[in-house]
Amino acid sequence: MPFQQGSARTRQRTVLLVGMVVLLAALVLAVVLASLLTHGKQEVSPKMMKWKDRGTTENLREVILGRCYSYVMVRYPELGDKDCLKIWESLKHAFIYKNPCNITSEDYQPLMELASHPIPCNKSLFWSKTNDLAHRYTKSNQNFLTLEDTLLGYMADRVSWCGDPSPPGINYESCPKRTECEGNPSSVFWKMASKMFAEAACGVVQVMLNGSVEAGAFRSSSIFGSIEIFNLNPEKVSAVHIWLMHDIGGPQSESCSGHSIKRLKSILEERNFKITCEDNYRPVQLLQCVHNPDHTDCRRCTSTT
């Protein structure tokens, strides 16, 4: 009998041990399967949306912060109370994890308020189709400021960004063009910044347009023609000076008496602005002549004796 009882206990222990081994193996198998399923889900997670324009600028945070600190600490130390970290966070929250075609002006409102600053009277320079020339001029003559010379414009100039609902919330591969959707991050930002820049203008303002453009120097579809011109305040702006520049050696498609300039003057007159227009404003033309010193357009008139 003792032998039989011992054998029974041994069988029980064996069965219990086998059961524990089976249970442990089942647990291990469950963990492995769960891991494989989780890994599989990661692989089939939603992909970033595909667009036609370049993606978010690499190291965007560092670029924005670097430009912000440079602007408020070196270029304009009187703006040293601006909080660049808060400015970056407000920009990031305007687009991160959002559909890049559904951005609104409300998304950017905190950023606009944080980065805004006064523009001295008589210094505002607007431009259309004269990007390079206008900014070469403001670099050589600091009596004028374009939008890109303000804190907002300086930080965002030639930089791109957009979000995506999928992790990590920022699309570095591609961003939508304006033709793909109006509510994209870039278009909404520049429209708001342009509106604010125009509203801040006072005294005499300047507008640099391109008289060599075949379609006309003034275009109602441009940022200047659709936003800035209608946000100038007649109670703050005393006059609008138009500088109609022509490419050195290029076509002179339009002068101050041209069709589109007449349309521009009409809009400004309806809003009670005083207007002047000058073909090839000489200080700007001299800057053009730096690269074309021997061209006939760059020769000074000499009197014969």
Side-chain angles (χ1 to χ4, degrees):
M1 292 294 293
F3 177 77
Q4 291 178 348
Q5 290 177 353
S7 298
R9 290 195 192 99
T10 300
R11 284 196 297 271
Q12 289 176 352
R13 287 173 184 162
T14 302
V15 171
L16 182 62
L17 182 61
V18 170
M20 291 177 64
V21 170
V22 170
L23 180 62
L24 181 62
L27 287 172
V28 171
L29 182 61
V31 170
V32 171
L33 287 173
S35 176
L36 289 173
L37 287 172
T38 303
H39 183 68
K41 286 181 180 179
Q42 289 178 345
E43 289 183 341
V44 297
S45 61
K47 293 183 179 180
M48 289 281 176
M49 298 177 179
K50 299 290 185 181
W51 306 102
K52 295 180 180 179
D53 211 351
R54 60 178 176 146
T56 300
T57 301
E58 291 292 335
N59 303 309
L60 179 65
R61 179 181 185 275
E62 288 72 21
V63 171
I64 296 297
L65 284 175
R67 290 184 177 186
C68 182
Y69 285 127
S70 173
Y71 193 93
V72 304
M73 298 181 71
V74 179
R75 298 186 65 179
Y76 298 96
E78 63 270 25
L79 298 177
D81 61 338
K82 294 291 183 184
D83 191 327
C84 290
L85 281 172
K86 283 186 178 179
I87 288 173
W88 157 248
E89 288 296 324
S90 64
L91 171 60
K92 182 181 72 173
H93 289 307
F95 72 94
I96 192 170
Y97 280 107
K98 294 179 181 179
N99 185 313
C101 281
N102 295 337
I103 304 300
T104 67
S105 56
E106 287 75 18
D107 292 319
Y108 282 119
Q109 192 58 43
L111 171 65
M112 299 293 150
E113 294 174 1
L114 284 170
S116 66
H117 58 84
I119 306 297
C121 289
N122 308 312
K123 283 199 167 189
S124 298
L125 172 58
F126 298 89
W127 58 270
S128 183
K129 292 292 184 180
T130 54
N131 187 339
D132 180 66
L133 183 59
H135 294 113
R136 282 167 55 201
Y137 185 62
T138 56
K139 284 180 181 178
S140 64
N141 185 345
Q142 297 185 359
N143 289 322
F144 299 101
L145 291 171
T146 65
L147 170 58
E148 292 76 14
D149 296 311
T150 66
L151 175 56
L152 272 171
Y154 183 75
M155 290 189 298
D157 191 26
R158 304 179 192 279
V159 172
S160 63
W161 62 83
C162 68
D164 193 280
S166 303
I170 298 177
N171 193 335
Y172 290 98
E173 299 297 324
S174 63
C175 289
K177 288 185 174 183
R178 182 180 176 183
T179 53
E180 293 180 278
C181 56
E182 284 284 338
N184 68 78
S186 178
S187 293
V188 176
F189 171 86
W190 286 111
K191 285 179 180 178
M192 286 195 70
S194 297
K195 179 177 181 289
M196 190 168 71
F197 182 60
E199 290 173 340
C202 57
V204 178
V205 303
Q206 288 66 221
V207 182
M208 189 186 297
L209 303 177
N210 191 336
S212 293
V213 176
E214 186 176 350
F218 172 70
R219 297 170 301 118
S220 57
S221 60
S222 67
I223 290 290
F224 173 69
S226 63
I227 295 175
E228 291 169 335
I229 191 174
F230 295 107
N231 284 284
L232 294 173
N233 187 344
E235 296 182 1
K236 293 168 57 180
V237 175
S238 58
V240 178
H241 291 177
I242 303 168
W243 298 340
L244 189 60
M245 306 306 301
H246 299 96
D247 298 337
I248 299 298
Q252 299 200 12
S253 303
E254 188 168 17
S255 67
C256 281
S257 59
H259 177 71
S260 78
I261 298 299
K262 286 181 179 178
R263 187 154 39 91
L264 170 58
K265 289 179 179 178
S266 175
I267 294 172
L268 292 170
E269 286 169 353
E270 287 178 4
R271 304 198 65 233
N272 298 317
F273 291 111
K274 296 179 180 178
I275 311 150
T276 66
C277 183
E278 185 172 348
D279 287 302
N280 295 318
Y281 179 60
R282 189 61 178 169
V284 178
Q285 190 181 54
L286 289 174
L287 189 60
Q288 291 176 297
C289 289
V290 169
H291 299 294
N292 302 274
D294 298 324
H295 197 276
T296 54
D297 292 345
C298 297
R299 295 175 188 169
R300 292 182 60 86
C301 296
T302 57
S303 59
T304 57
T305 56

